[in-house]
Amino acid sequence: MCGIIGVSGVHDAPEVIVEALRRLEYRGYDSAGMTIYQDGRLVRVREATGTHSVELLSKHIKDFQGSDSISGLGHNRWATHGKPSQENAHPQFDCSGRVAVVHNGIVENFLELKEELLNHGHVFSSETDTEVIAHLLEVALIETDRIDFALAEVFSKLRGAMAIVAMETSRPTLLACVRRTSPLIIATNDGEGFIASDIPAILGRAKHYYQIDDGVVAGVELGEINAFKLDHEPAEPREFVVTWDLSRSARDGYDDFMSKEIMEQPQAIRDTLAGRLQLWDSSGIKLDELRLDLEQLLGVNKIFMIGCGTSYHACMAARYAIESLCKIPVELDVASEFRYREPKLDPQTLVIAVSQSGETLDTIAALAEASDSGAISLVVSNVVDSSMARMADAVIYTHAGPEVCVASTKTYLAQIVALELFAIYFAKLKGTSTAKEIQALATALTDLPDKVEQLTNRFAEMIQVASKVEAFERFYFIGRNVGFPVALEGALKLKELSYLPAEGFPAGELKHGPIAMLDPSSVVVAIATRGRLWEKVMANLQEVKARGAKVLLVANEGDQQTIAEGDAAFLVPQTHPLLSPVLDTIPLQVLAYHLARFRGFDVDRPRNLAKTVTVE
Ligand code: F6R
């Protein structure tokens, strides 16, 4: 969703803003703009040429030459109110061009606010809800000459989840920002101040990073931060440590971020396991940041796992480990549905919310609902100090590093691994599994990064296999048990990247309807690695073959019996059955990658998608 950058006291402000917007492109956007204070006024450029917008914006850098051009705002827009166009791109101005605003999220009551402003003679030049904020600031600045004070007054009138950064011409070095649920960070570096919607935007440039709570307004000026609550009580921005380095958010010679991030999967798993699996220690698992009261955890008699998209699939893949090791009922829900079905929650329920960004609004809302009902909450997040990490009673971080490609790859595998670590931890605590069972899974986890590496090292070979189905246009993915979430994830990746119709089913469900769609023009991708239900998958494959569909398999290396059943096969190493979703998913990431590139699509920024979905 929209990407925000604001800079104060930065001598190469236009370059820094454009570079930040480039690094925020992964969030998904359709237009972009920036404004720089120069010669006493706000100079603005905007482009609305889809994913070329930031590139076009960079051509304007040379137009900003003034020695006073040290403050400005930039924005990548993902359209909600009004089509992608130059007029609707941010920054949005007030009537006179004194105030500039960039915004992510939705002002739910913008229509009534706009009507009031129109009645008072304000002139609007866009269809956006954002422009309402600029005009409200214009009004508030009649009473105060500070943009941060004006923003505090305006913010209390706005409904909805959002993050805002604003500036004005009478004190252009002072930027004001505020957030409600939507992500926003502040950073400083020797006289320079930055505000951004995500860390990669300013990685390498800023030294100190800060979070502000919901409803706290911050004035950021030349490296100084003045934060206060809406009632003007002082507030402390919380400093947090960023361990990501710049090279992990750069392409590093790869054609795209997706292939880079697929190749980073062994390291993502190594880093997620690091220091947590104490195989020779009787405590077994170390989850330092879990911060949960053990008595409370022991009282848990039911678990809900929630997430969206790929993160939901990670919940589904890890459910098998939690149920089997911890002997506890686990329910799954897509976060946007969970809150509306009135689940029965109480202090003995554990709600596990899984999110790469920790900022997905659907999951945040579900988590808030769970906490309000008294349930214990645990978040699995890749972003330290994300909104969800702060809301939950407990957190387990995946240490996958920044993920830039819109489609999740390495964070998905890291999520499954983190959840399996939790399964072992909880099973040991409850005493629900034998030492042998736990040791088997723990040993397999230790071996997992090398096996993932064996597979990613064969990237080119997987592309060869994928190329055998280049000409096909309809895909069905089937799997049973732990293979079912793999099938769903394979279909989701293919849809998002190649825009080809793709569906995932439990293999046993085929005959109850979907089989009607099979014919020689369709491809069935079957997850056929050796597991508990392998024989049944084989039987389902016969049904597929009888309908003439092309069969692409995910099978274990050396398993000739299975390989002989398909037209082509991706070969993966054998592992513990509960970990097979980690390995089996990798060829399907490569399949989606190849078919998208074959069709000429941008794999890092698929159409219509956003990396962090901050609207419901
Ligand atoms: C798919 C994908 C999305 C996200 C979903 C949740 O490749 O990336 O389906 O998984 O939007 O995002 P997070 O994990 O940030 O909550």
Side-chain angles (χ1 to χ4, degrees):
M1 301 260 136
C2 304
I4 290 178
I5 174 73
V7 303
S8 164
V10 172
H11 287 280
D12 47 351
E15 285 90 342
V16 172
I17 289 176
V18 169
E19 177 57 22
L21 294 181
R22 218 174 252 136
R23 296 196 204 164
L24 290 170
E25 282 181 321
Y26 74 92
R27 295 168 68 87
Y29 81 113
D30 44 55
S31 47
M34 69 170 163
T35 188
I36 301 279
Y37 177 79
Q38 184 170 298
D39 302 330
R41 64 191 189 95
L42 289 167
V43 181
R44 173 172 63 176
V45 286
R46 294 179 288 177
E47 296 288 351
T49 46
T51 49
H52 299 294
S53 303
V54 173
E55 210 33 59
L56 286 179
L57 216 54
S58 70
K59 311 252 182 287
H60 296 283
I61 291 178
K62 59 177 180 347
D63 305 337
F64 297 102
Q65 298 294 354
S67 56
D68 58 348
S69 307
I70 55 170
S71 303
L73 306 178
H75 188 266
N76 288 343
R77 176 169 185 255
W78 191 84
T80 57
H81 293 61
K83 60 185 178 302
S85 67
Q86 282 198 351
E87 297 72 39
N88 289 333
H90 302 197
Q92 288 292 326
F93 284 1
D94 64 334
C95 293
S96 63
R98 173 185 176 188
V99 178
V101 173
V102 290
H103 158 235
N104 172 26
I106 289 176
V107 180
E108 287 170 1
N109 54 334
F110 97 100
L111 275 179
E112 65 197 70
L113 294 169
K114 184 169 179 174
E115 201 168 300
E116 212 176 305
L117 288 159
L118 285 169
N119 288 339
H120 283 85
H122 287 260
V123 179
F124 280 75
S125 56
S126 79
E127 301 159 276
T128 63
D129 50 346
T130 310
E131 194 180 349
V132 163
I133 306 170
H135 290 275
L136 288 172
L137 286 170
E138 177 185 357
V139 176
L141 282 165
I142 298 169
E143 299 295 325
T144 171
D145 56 355
R146 287 185 61 115
I147 187 76
D148 47 353
F149 292 174
L151 185 59
E153 194 193 316
V154 167
F155 190 63
S156 49
K157 297 187 178 137
L158 309 176
R159 286 205 305 270
M162 69 194 80
I164 304 168
V165 186
M167 66 186 289
E168 61 90 27
T169 50
S170 69
R171 189 165 166 179
T173 47
L174 177 61
L175 309 183
C177 66
V178 68
R179 62 185 288 265
R180 186 184 294 128
T181 315
S182 300
L184 200 66
I185 55 155
I186 298 173
T188 59
N189 180 21
D190 299 336
E192 296 180 328
F194 306 88
I195 305 170
S197 38
D198 207 351
I199 299 162
I202 43 180
L203 208 56
R205 180 75 190 213
K207 272 195 196 142
H208 303 282
Y209 294 81
Y210 302 88
Q211 286 281 5
I212 46 166
D213 285 334
D214 272 10
V216 166
V217 177
V220 178
E221 187 166 36
L222 310 172
E224 297 294 321
I225 306 171
N226 170 38
F228 55 91
K229 298 182 189 153
L230 294 185
D231 58 7
H232 288 253
E233 279 295 306
E236 254 329 289
R238 263 186 332 279
E239 186 162 4
F240 66 101
V241 179
V242 173
T243 51
W244 296 353
D245 63 47
L246 198 54
S247 72
R248 288 187 83 179
S249 36
R251 272 213 310 260
D252 264 353
Y254 285 90
D255 285 352
D256 38 61
F257 281 104
M258 183 171 184
S259 55
K260 175 175 181 255
E261 287 162 4
I262 288 175
M263 296 306 287
E264 282 174 349
Q265 297 190 110
Q267 196 55 40
I269 296 179
R270 271 186 201 110
D271 291 347
T272 300
L273 289 172
R276 286 167 162 173
L277 253 182
Q278 316 283 308
L279 275 186
W280 317 119
D281 177 340
S282 59
S283 65
I285 296 280
K286 214 161 148 254
L287 292 173
D288 283 342
E289 70 276 40
L290 198 63
R291 69 186 186 217
L292 265 187
D293 176 53
L294 296 188
E295 283 305 312
Q296 207 185 2
L297 202 50
L298 276 170
V300 167
N301 57 22
K302 181 160 190 178
I303 295 179
F304 283 91
M305 299 181 81
I306 55 172
C308 301
T310 291
S311 294
Y312 170 70
H313 296 156
C315 295
M316 194 183 258
R319 169 172 57 176
Y320 297 93
I322 299 178
E323 278 189 332
S324 123
L325 263 61
C326 310
K327 316 282 186 272
I328 189 165
V330 180
E331 276 197 45
L332 284 176
D333 241 317
V334 167
S336 54
E337 288 296 317
F338 173 75
R339 46 197 295 239
Y340 298 111
R341 74 173 174 100
E342 297 176 25
K344 195 188 151 300
L345 302 167
D346 60 36
Q348 289 180 301
T349 315
L350 174 66
V351 175
I352 304 180
V354 178
S355 171
Q356 179 279 128
S357 60
E359 305 291 350
T360 302
L361 197 55
D362 284 325
T363 315
I364 289 183
L367 188 62
E369 186 99 356
S371 301
D372 289 350
S373 314
I376 309 168
S377 55
L378 164 64
V379 157
V380 173
S381 163
N382 193 46
V383 179
V384 173
D385 220 25
S386 59
S387 296
M388 281 184 224
R390 291 199 306 276
M391 285 167 73
D393 298 315
V395 62
I396 302 177
Y397 288 115
T398 48
H399 296 299
E403 188 174 69
V404 175
C405 174
V406 166
S408 291
T409 52
K410 61 175 180 171
T411 56
Y412 172 64
L413 299 198
Q415 285 169 343
I416 300 176
V417 166
L419 288 164
E420 304 243 356
L421 283 173
F422 173 75
I424 299 181
Y425 174 86
F426 196 30
K428 279 197 76 113
L429 191 70
K430 280 168 63 88
T432 44
S433 283
T434 63
K436 198 167 153 217
E437 284 167 329
I438 288 184
Q439 189 65 34
L441 183 56
T443 307
L445 273 169
T446 315
D447 296 341
L448 193 61
D450 288 350
K451 292 192 174 177
V452 170
E453 194 156 7
Q454 281 171 34
L455 205 43
T456 51
N457 283 344
R458 300 204 318 256
F459 192 90
E461 186 188 309
M462 290 189 275
I463 296 273
Q464 281 293 318
V465 177
S467 66
K468 302 209 160 103
V469 291
E470 275 163 1
F472 288 80
E473 305 245 311
R474 262 183 317 124
F475 289 77
Y476 304 99
F477 291 73
I478 58 168
R480 294 184 89 125
N481 194 252
V482 287
F484 172 41
V486 177
L488 291 181
E489 177 59 9
L492 177 65
K493 281 280 128 9
L494 192 59
K495 276 184 276 215
E496 336 180 62
L497 297 172
S498 69
Y499 320 140
L500 288 167
E503 285 189 70
F505 303 104
E509 270 293 293
L510 260 190
K511 57 188 176 296
H512 297 292
I515 201 162
M517 297 183 290
L518 299 189
D519 64 23
S521 71
S522 48
V523 176
V524 171
V525 183
I527 317 308
T529 43
R530 295 276 174 162
R532 213 151 54 88
L533 300 182
W534 171 82
E535 276 182 357
K536 290 193 187 294
V537 174
M538 287 296 111
N540 298 136
L541 261 186
Q542 302 315 314
E543 300 158 8
V544 169
K545 286 168 65 171
R547 272 74 194 177
K550 180 107 172 162
V551 174
L552 189 53
L553 297 170
V554 178
N556 286 124
E557 291 160 353
D559 182 358
Q560 295 308 335
Q561 189 187 352
T562 305
I563 297 166
E565 295 297 327
D567 296 294
F570 291 112
L571 302 181
V572 301
Q574 204 136 23
T575 181
H576 190 292
L578 290 172
L579 294 180
S580 60
V582 172
L583 295 174
D584 296 356
T585 302
I586 296 170
L588 305 188
Q589 297 169 341
V590 178
L591 174 69
Y593 173 84
H594 177 67
L595 294 185
R597 296 232 317 176
F598 178 73
R599 284 167 171 71
F601 299 136
D602 179 344
V603 286
D604 286 340
R605 290 171 293 169
R607 70 182 183 206
N608 304 341
L609 294 182
K611 180 75 180 159
T612 309
V613 183
T614 48
V615 293
E616 277 187 73

